[in-house]
Amino acid sequence: MSSSQTSASGTVKSTAQELGQAARDRAEAEAQVAQERVASAAQSEAEQIREAGSAFEADSFARGAADQLADSLTHAASAVREADFNSIQEDLTVFARRNPLLFFGGAALLGFVAARALKASERHDDTGYSPAAPAVPTSHPGLPEGPGGYPDQAAWRYGK
Protein backbone atom coordinates (compact mmCIF):
# COMPACT_ATOMS: atom_id res chain seq x y z
CA MET A 1 0.00 0.00 0.00
CA SER A 2 1.48 3.33 -0.99
CA SER A 3 1.70 6.34 1.30
CA SER A 4 -1.00 8.18 -0.69
CA GLN A 5 -3.39 5.23 -0.25
CA THR A 6 -2.62 5.10 3.48
CA SER A 7 -3.22 8.84 3.74
CA ALA A 8 -6.51 8.59 1.83
CA SER A 9 -7.61 5.63 3.95
CA GLY A 10 -6.80 7.55 7.13
CA THR A 11 -8.71 10.59 5.89
CA VAL A 12 -11.75 8.47 5.04
CA LYS A 13 -11.67 6.79 8.46
CA SER A 14 -11.33 10.06 10.35
CA THR A 15 -14.12 11.66 8.29
CA ALA A 16 -16.37 8.65 8.95
CA GLN A 17 -15.63 8.87 12.68
CA GLU A 18 -16.39 12.60 12.70
CA LEU A 19 -19.65 12.04 10.82
CA GLY A 20 -20.59 9.22 13.18
CA GLN A 21 -19.90 11.38 16.22
CA ALA A 22 -21.89 14.26 14.73
CA ALA A 23 -24.81 11.90 14.09
CA ARG A 24 -24.64 10.59 17.67
CA ASP A 25 -24.51 14.14 19.04
CA ARG A 26 -27.49 15.19 16.93
CA ALA A 27 -29.47 12.09 17.93
CA GLU A 28 -28.75 12.77 21.58
CA ALA A 29 -29.81 16.42 21.24
CA GLU A 30 -33.04 15.41 19.50
CA ALA A 31 -33.64 12.75 22.15
CA GLN A 32 -33.28 15.38 24.86
CA VAL A 33 -35.83 17.61 23.13
CA ALA A 34 -38.20 14.65 22.77
CA GLN A 35 -37.54 13.69 26.39
CA GLU A 36 -38.58 17.16 27.56
CA ARG A 37 -41.69 17.08 25.35
CA VAL A 38 -42.74 13.72 26.76
CA ALA A 39 -42.11 14.88 30.33
CA SER A 40 -44.05 18.10 29.76
CA ALA A 41 -46.95 16.23 28.16
CA ALA A 42 -47.07 13.75 31.05
CA GLN A 43 -47.01 16.60 33.57
CA SER A 44 -49.78 18.43 31.69
CA GLU A 45 -51.92 15.28 31.57
CA ALA A 46 -51.33 14.74 35.30
CA GLU A 47 -52.57 18.25 36.04
CA GLN A 48 -55.65 17.76 33.86
CA ILE A 49 -56.45 14.43 35.52
CA ARG A 50 -56.00 15.94 38.97
CA GLU A 51 -58.31 18.83 37.98
CA ALA A 52 -60.91 16.42 36.60
CA GLY A 53 -60.69 14.33 39.77
CA SER A 54 -61.39 17.39 41.91
CA ALA A 55 -64.94 17.40 40.53
CA PHE A 56 -65.68 14.27 42.58
CA GLU A 57 -66.25 14.10 46.33
CA ALA A 58 -63.07 14.06 48.40
CA ASP A 59 -63.50 10.48 49.64
CA SER A 60 -64.84 8.95 46.41
CA PHE A 61 -63.17 6.12 44.53
CA ALA A 62 -63.03 8.19 41.31
CA ARG A 63 -61.18 11.04 43.03
CA GLY A 64 -58.71 8.64 44.64
CA ALA A 65 -58.09 6.91 41.32
CA ALA A 66 -57.60 10.24 39.53
CA ASP A 67 -55.18 11.45 42.22
CA GLN A 68 -53.22 8.20 42.11
CA LEU A 69 -53.00 8.31 38.31
CA ALA A 70 -51.94 11.96 38.41
CA ASP A 71 -49.26 11.15 41.01
CA SER A 72 -47.97 8.30 38.85
CA LEU A 73 -47.79 10.53 35.78
CA THR A 74 -46.00 13.24 37.76
CA HIS A 75 -43.49 10.68 38.98
CA ALA A 76 -43.04 9.35 35.43
CA ALA A 77 -42.49 12.90 34.13
CA SER A 78 -39.78 13.46 36.75
CA ALA A 79 -38.13 10.15 35.91
CA VAL A 80 -38.13 10.98 32.19
CA ARG A 81 -36.61 14.41 32.84
CA GLU A 82 -33.84 12.98 35.03
CA ALA A 83 -32.93 9.98 32.87
CA ASP A 84 -30.10 10.19 30.38
CA PHE A 85 -30.34 8.93 26.82
CA ASN A 86 -27.92 6.00 27.21
CA SER A 87 -29.58 4.62 30.34
CA ILE A 88 -33.03 4.85 28.71
CA GLN A 89 -31.73 3.00 25.66
CA GLU A 90 -30.14 0.28 27.79
CA ASP A 91 -33.25 -0.08 29.97
CA LEU A 92 -35.50 -0.38 26.93
CA THR A 93 -33.21 -2.97 25.36
CA VAL A 94 -33.19 -5.11 28.51
CA PHE A 95 -36.96 -4.75 28.94
CA ALA A 96 -37.62 -5.65 25.28
CA ARG A 97 -35.50 -8.79 25.57
CA ARG A 98 -37.21 -9.92 28.76
CA ASN A 99 -40.78 -8.99 27.74
CA PRO A 100 -41.05 -8.88 23.93
CA LEU A 101 -44.85 -9.12 23.75
CA LEU A 102 -45.35 -6.42 26.35
CA PHE A 103 -42.73 -4.24 24.68
CA PHE A 104 -44.31 -4.49 21.23
CA GLY A 105 -47.79 -4.03 22.68
CA GLY A 106 -46.58 -0.90 24.46
CA ALA A 107 -44.90 0.32 21.29
CA ALA A 108 -48.15 -0.16 19.37
CA LEU A 109 -50.08 1.67 22.08
CA LEU A 110 -47.54 4.49 22.04
CA GLY A 111 -47.91 4.69 18.26
CA PHE A 112 -51.69 5.01 18.54
CA VAL A 113 -51.32 7.73 21.18
CA ALA A 114 -48.80 9.60 19.02
CA ALA A 115 -51.13 9.35 16.01
CA ARG A 116 -54.02 10.76 18.06
CA ALA A 117 -51.80 13.56 19.34
CA LEU A 118 -50.76 14.44 15.80
CA LYS A 119 -54.34 14.35 14.63
CA ALA A 120 -55.41 16.57 17.54
CA SER A 121 -52.60 19.03 16.82
CA GLU A 122 -53.76 19.27 13.21
CA ARG A 123 -57.23 20.26 14.42
CA HIS A 124 -55.74 22.96 16.66
CA ASP A 125 -53.39 24.34 14.05
CA ASP A 126 -52.48 27.91 14.90
CA THR A 127 -51.46 28.90 11.39
CA GLY A 128 -54.63 30.91 10.97
CA TYR A 129 -55.57 29.00 7.83
CA SER A 130 -59.11 27.79 7.59
CA PRO A 131 -60.51 26.60 4.31
CA ALA A 132 -63.44 28.65 3.04
CA ALA A 133 -66.76 27.03 3.76
CA PRO A 134 -68.68 26.05 0.66
CA ALA A 135 -71.50 28.38 -0.21
CA VAL A 136 -74.77 27.13 1.24
CA PRO A 137 -77.81 28.09 -0.80
CA THR A 138 -80.36 30.06 1.19
CA SER A 139 -83.24 28.82 -0.90
CA HIS A 140 -84.06 25.62 -2.65
CA PRO A 141 -86.25 25.42 -5.73
CA GLY A 142 -88.44 22.69 -4.24
CA LEU A 143 -89.05 24.36 -0.86
CA PRO A 144 -91.36 27.28 -0.13
CA GLU A 145 -89.68 30.47 1.10
CA GLY A 146 -90.54 32.57 4.13
CA PRO A 147 -91.78 31.67 7.60
CA GLY A 148 -95.23 30.73 6.34
CA GLY A 149 -93.79 28.01 4.13
CA TYR A 150 -92.75 25.79 7.05
CA PRO A 151 -95.52 24.80 9.42
CA ASP A 152 -94.76 24.82 13.12
CA GLN A 153 -93.99 21.18 13.87
CA ALA A 154 -95.18 21.35 17.48
CA ALA A 155 -98.50 22.91 16.47
CA TRP A 156 -99.00 20.34 13.73
CA ARG A 157 -98.13 17.49 16.08
CA TYR A 158 -100.65 18.59 18.73
CA GLY A 159 -103.41 19.64 16.35
CA LYS A 160 -103.07 23.40 16.86
Side-chain angles (χ1 to χ4, degrees):
M1 193 185 262
S2 70
S3 65
S4 64
Q5 289 176 335
T6 304
S7 174
S9 175
T11 303
V12 169
K13 284 182 184 179
S14 67
T15 303
Q17 288 174 347
E18 289 172 10
L19 288 174
Q21 185 61 43
R24 282 190 291 277
D25 292 345
R26 181 177 172 129
E28 189 169 336
E30 289 181 12
Q32 287 175 348
V33 169
Q35 183 178 359
E36 182 56 35
R37 283 184 188 158
V38 168
S40 294
Q43 186 65 40
S44 174
E45 289 297 322
E47 290 168 6
Q48 289 177 2
I49 290 171
R50 193 176 315 274
E51 185 178 325
S54 68
F56 297 102
E57 294 180 18
D59 59 345
S60 71
F61 174 78
R63 178 137 184 203
D67 286 343
Q68 186 174 4
L69 182 57
D71 290 342
S72 296
L73 279 173
T74 300
H75 180 70
S78 296
V80 167
R81 277 193 179 99
E82 294 169 5
D84 67 340
F85 181 67
N86 291 328
S87 69
I88 292 172
Q89 183 181 6
E90 290 172 13
D91 291 346
L92 280 175
T93 301
V94 169
F95 179 78
R97 287 185 181 150
R98 289 185 183 164
N99 307 299
L101 291 177
L102 190 58
F103 176 78
F104 287 118
L109 180 63
L110 186 60
F112 289 128
V113 169
R116 286 183 55 89
L118 286 173
K119 189 174 183 181
S121 70
E122 288 174 359
R123 280 187 254 143
H124 299 293
D125 190 10
D126 293 333
T127 61
Y129 172 77
S130 64
V136 178
T138 56
S139 64
H140 190 274
L143 298 176
E145 291 195 30
Y150 300 99
D152 182 19
Q153 293 296 322
W156 175 77
R157 191 175 300 143
Y158 297 106
K160 294 183 179 181

